[in-house]
Amino acid sequence: MSAVGEDRVVPSDWAVERFGERAGGLVAAVPVQLARAHARAHAVHLTARLKKRSPYGATLAEAVRENLADTARELEEAVRDVRGYEYAVINDHALFPFKYADRPKPLDRARLASDASPTRRRMLLGHGPQSQEGLFPLDDDLTTEEYEELHETFEALGASTKLVCLFFTADPENGIHAIHWGDAHLEPDRTFTWLYSEQLPVAPQPLE
């Protein structure tokens, strides 16, 4: 597990294997960038003055992606555009942020929403840990068009790019509850099988 040392954030062996010399900087930056994203989303939530939390969730998702892309640039790493959304790619590993609950919830209960965008599904299938069947999970229900779209997403991030899932829980009142990252395989029932996961510290969350 990545830990906070007396003077710096110490990355785990897993993080170093994936992010190389950028691992320490990334482990330090991710909690801070999620905290900043929450502050922006919280401000939008208050301005909207709605009982529903949709403005918070939508703003948080976009702010997290933007902040992680900014971190990639600061680390002199890549930012890739996938259908109009920027994703941070560090040492050939793309960060896939996902708020899986609006309350504290165990990571093993994370589930992709039924209305999740096809692009997010394709990213998980094309770049996440693969099943034994091969690179693309072809079956009788996958049309030629769907296959081509999966391959398009695959090319957008880069043929050799692997996905690192960055999962967290948050709500407007309490902010970020917990942050996890690791290697996760998307199952047909929209649950995840984690080949490896670890928890990151949560940074202080001053509000805008």
Side-chain angles (χ1 to χ4, degrees), residues 173-197:
E173 292 77 23
N174 301 296
I176 309 295
H177 312 134
I179 308 169
H180 305 265
W181 66 0
D183 302 319
H185 174 69
L186 177 64
E187 301 293 347
D189 64 356
R190 296 182 283 108
T191 62
F192 294 87
T193 296
W194 291 86
L195 282 67
Y196 178 87
S197 67

Side-chain angles (χ1 to χ4, degrees), residues 13 49-50 65 91 113 149 182 191:
D13 291 341
R49 301 178 66 182
L50 297 175
R65 277 193 296 264
N91 195 38
E149 290 177 343
T191 62

Side-chain angles (χ1 to χ4, degrees), residues 82-83 87 96 112-126 146 149-150 153 186:
V82 180
R83 297 258 172 152
Y87 287 88
F96 182 87
L112 193 67
S114 59
D115 61 350
S117 72
T119 297
R120 292 172 72 80
R121 292 173 182 266
R122 290 194 290 266
M123 288 180 67
L124 288 161
L125 293 172
E146 289 170 333
E149 290 177 343
L150 180 61
T153 304
L186 177 64

Side-chain angles (χ1 to χ4, degrees), residues 25-180:
L26 192 60
V27 170
V30 165
V32 173
Q33 293 291 35
L34 263 64
R36 290 173 176 169
H38 162 68
R40 294 170 63 186
H42 181 264
V44 170
H45 173 70
L46 292 180
T47 301
R49 301 178 66 182
L50 297 175
K51 292 181 179 180
K52 291 187 177 181
R53 298 184 175 188
S54 53
Y56 173 81
T59 303
L60 181 64
E62 185 58 32
V64 167
R65 277 193 296 264
E66 288 184 359
N67 289 3
L68 293 176
D70 288 344
T71 292
R73 294 186 180 96
E74 290 169 4
L75 295 174
E76 299 183 341
E77 294 286 337
V79 174
R80 305 269 168 76
D81 184 282
V82 180
R83 297 258 172 152
Y85 295 103
E86 291 186 333
Y87 287 88
V89 180
I90 294 91
N91 195 38
D92 222 15
H93 285 79
L95 291 177
F96 182 87
F98 174 52
K99 181 175 78 71
Y100 68 91
D102 57 9
R103 56 185 174 81
K105 191 175 186 179
L107 182 63
D108 60 10
R109 294 178 60 190
R111 187 185 184 100
L112 193 67
S114 59
D115 61 350
S117 72
T119 297
R120 292 172 72 80
R121 292 173 182 266
R122 290 194 290 266
M123 288 180 67
L124 288 161
L125 293 172
H127 296 272
Q130 300 304 319
S131 62
Q132 296 180 352
E133 283 72 17
L135 178 60
F136 300 118
L138 298 178
D139 56 38
D140 294 338
D141 296 326
L142 189 62
T143 67
T144 300
E145 181 180 358
E146 289 170 333
Y147 178 89
E148 292 300 328
E149 290 177 343
L150 180 61
H151 192 270
E152 177 185 338
T153 304
F154 181 73
E155 290 299 324
L157 275 181
S160 63
T161 302
K162 303 298 182 183
L163 208 67
V164 168
C165 287
L166 177 63
F167 282 26
F168 58 96
T169 60
D171 71 69
E173 292 77 23
N174 301 296
I176 309 295
H177 312 134
I179 308 169
H180 305 265

